[in-house]
Amino acid sequence: NKESSDWGDAPSPYPTTRAQTGASHGVLAGLRIGAAWDAELDGTNSTSADGDDLNNSIDDEDGVTILSPIVRGDSQNSLRINVTNTTGSGAYLQGWIDFNGNGSWGDTGEQIITNLLVNAGDNIVNFTTPSNAVSQTAARFRLSQSAGLGPTGRAVSGEVEDYIFNIVDGPRRNLQDDSFQVVRNSVSNQLNVLSNDFIPPGD
């Protein structure tokens, strides 16, 4: 029903709302991306892909982490996808990044994850970014017990999470490079930083 559905919150013109046939997922205890799951009456187009967080005060975009800067022309860009699955059944992950920034996830090469049978816990995904990718764009990830989901439409279980990602020029940046910034709608895409990633003052 309307009160027990998780919806996306990607910016316009991405298909997000009920009228746009946006992605939605019914509740199934124990199946979600990350740890949190929230329910909305409808999807919300929001510039920073944080619309449902603002409506519900629950940050449910907590399952996808950028492991390194997303670099144009690189075939080893990496994400960590954390999955909660205590259902006893398998679950499939789909993921899209709108590399050309045209407001659609339907172009060739933009589905970076297809029917990945995920494990509970962390799953590492490598993907290739085109050399002509835009500098900032939207991504969508969907988890369900059903394989073959597209970026829109209803699923009876699981979760949808939308994100805004930055894409940079190569060579690969490191954590000491001030030009590497992650645009996020939650704390989940902050990077784990070791003490030796910092240069002491005066060095």
Side-chain angles (χ1 to χ4, degrees), residues 57-78:
S57 70
I58 299 174
D59 183 5
D60 71 328
E61 275 87 9
D62 63 346
V64 180
T65 303
I66 298 173
L67 295 181
S68 59
I70 301 175
V71 176
R72 293 183 183 89
D74 197 326
S75 63
Q76 293 299 313
N77 294 293
S78 297

Side-chain angles (χ1 to χ4, degrees), residues 111-178:
Q111 184 163 5
I112 63 167
I113 306 170
T114 304
N115 295 331
L116 177 62
L117 186 61
V118 290
N119 299 312
D122 289 338
N123 299 262
I124 305 300
V125 173
N126 294 323
F127 62 94
T128 298
T129 300
S131 59
N132 61 347
V134 297
S135 296
Q136 188 178 102
T137 193
R140 171 165 289 173
F141 301 89
R142 302 188 71 181
L143 178 72
S144 176
Q145 290 180 313
S146 300
L149 292 182
T152 62
R154 175 75 174 168
V156 297
S157 64
E159 185 177 8
V160 53
E161 292 191 358
D162 292 343
Y163 293 81
I164 301 297
F165 287 159
N166 279 347
I167 300 175
V168 300
D169 287 326
R172 180 172 297 284
R173 312 296 177 90
N174 59 44
L175 295 182
Q176 293 178 359
D177 189 336
D178 290 338

